Amino acid sequence: SIYIEVEEAPMGTWKRPPAITCLLLLLAGCSGIKVGSDYDPAADFAALRSYAWLARASERTKDPRLDSSLLNQRIERAVDDALRAKGLTKVAAEEADFFVTFHIGIDQKLDVTTIPTTYGYYGRWGGFYGGTETRVDQYEEGTLLIDFVDREKDDLLWRGSGQTRIREHRSPEDREKRVREVVGAILEQYPPG
């Protein structure tokens, strides 16, 4: 975190108890998975019962965290399991009703938090004087897009997206668990409506 500046506040500024300030900072720093989706309203999703993975061109992001066959395999396994749970069947490409593919990326983000600070008791009428403290936290946010593509027309039928703060996971099991959490949150939105 980077401390920016402290501004003087007028006499009588309320002093926030330290426990509440700590709780607010913790809550502000926590971020879940933000999900969204878009789809073709003319598509008949009830007729889509089988899928195949779309052959992916080798997307090189020049970020070794993303250019990883291990990550790709984890995402594909998680999607396969989630779609199987929805009653969809993975088949050969020529038999599929639709294709599935995904895209991943990482963006730099800033989280800015301003909290009141207090310096002490002021004057005979009471009150506290102080200012505010602004903290800037730079972090990385990962995005996963899962696309369902019409096999015949090559048009996008459905897109689910998930964004979450990047965390360092120390073991393959932790990475697998996090991928499954994100994929599960995205695919909870399918089918639309």
Side-chain angles (χ1 to χ4, degrees):
S1 293
I2 302 168
Y3 295 96
I4 301 292
E5 64 182 76
V6 176
E7 297 176 10
E8 287 296 320
M11 177 174 65
T13 302
W14 175 72
K15 181 178 181 181
R16 184 178 307 212
I20 293 175
T21 300
C22 290
L23 179 62
L24 290 174
L25 287 173
L26 284 174
L27 292 175
C30 294
S31 63
I33 303 165
K34 298 176 283 187
V35 295
S37 66
D38 194 10
Y39 62 93
D40 177 358
D44 181 6
F45 292 101
L48 302 178
R49 305 306 307 156
S50 61
Y51 73 95
W53 282 94
L54 186 64
R56 290 167 40 98
S58 181
E59 295 179 16
R60 289 289 173 202
T61 64
K62 298 184 181 169
D63 185 331
R65 296 170 297 175
L66 300 179
D67 297 336
S68 165
S69 60
L70 294 172
L71 176 60
N72 292 343
Q73 291 166 13
R74 286 185 183 106
I75 293 171
E76 287 185 18
R77 278 194 306 266
V79 170
D80 284 341
D81 290 348
L83 293 182
R84 187 180 316 110
K86 290 181 176 291
L88 300 172
T89 306
K90 184 178 172 182
V91 297
E94 60 274 4
E95 301 170 12
D97 295 327
F98 66 98
F99 291 126
V100 177
T101 191
F102 66 88
H103 312 277
I104 49 180
I106 294 178
D107 293 314
Q108 298 292 323
K109 298 286 186 176
L110 293 177
D111 185 14
V112 180
T113 306
T114 302
I115 58 172
T117 58
T118 303
Y119 298 114
Y121 191 72
Y122 181 81
R124 64 181 177 142
W125 292 285
F128 289 86
Y129 65 96
T132 59
E133 183 178 298
T134 300
R135 297 177 185 208
V136 178
D137 180 27
Q138 184 175 355
Y139 65 96
E140 293 179 313
E141 183 178 74
T143 299
L144 173 62
L145 301 175
I146 300 175
D147 289 344
F148 293 177
V149 180
D150 186 290
R151 186 173 72 90
E152 301 294 331
K153 300 177 188 171
D154 198 34
D155 289 339
L156 192 60
L157 296 169
W158 181 87
R159 168 172 280 173
S161 64
Q163 292 85 32
T164 188
R165 193 173 189 146
I166 299 291
R167 301 183 216 158
E168 284 301 319
H169 298 287
R170 300 180 194 276
S171 71
E173 294 79 15
D174 290 341
R175 292 180 181 100
E176 181 84 22
K177 180 181 177 187
R178 188 60 176 161
V179 165
R180 287 184 177 276
E181 288 172 354
V182 174
V183 167
I186 294 170
L187 289 177
E188 277 182 16
Q189 304 172 98
Y190 184 85

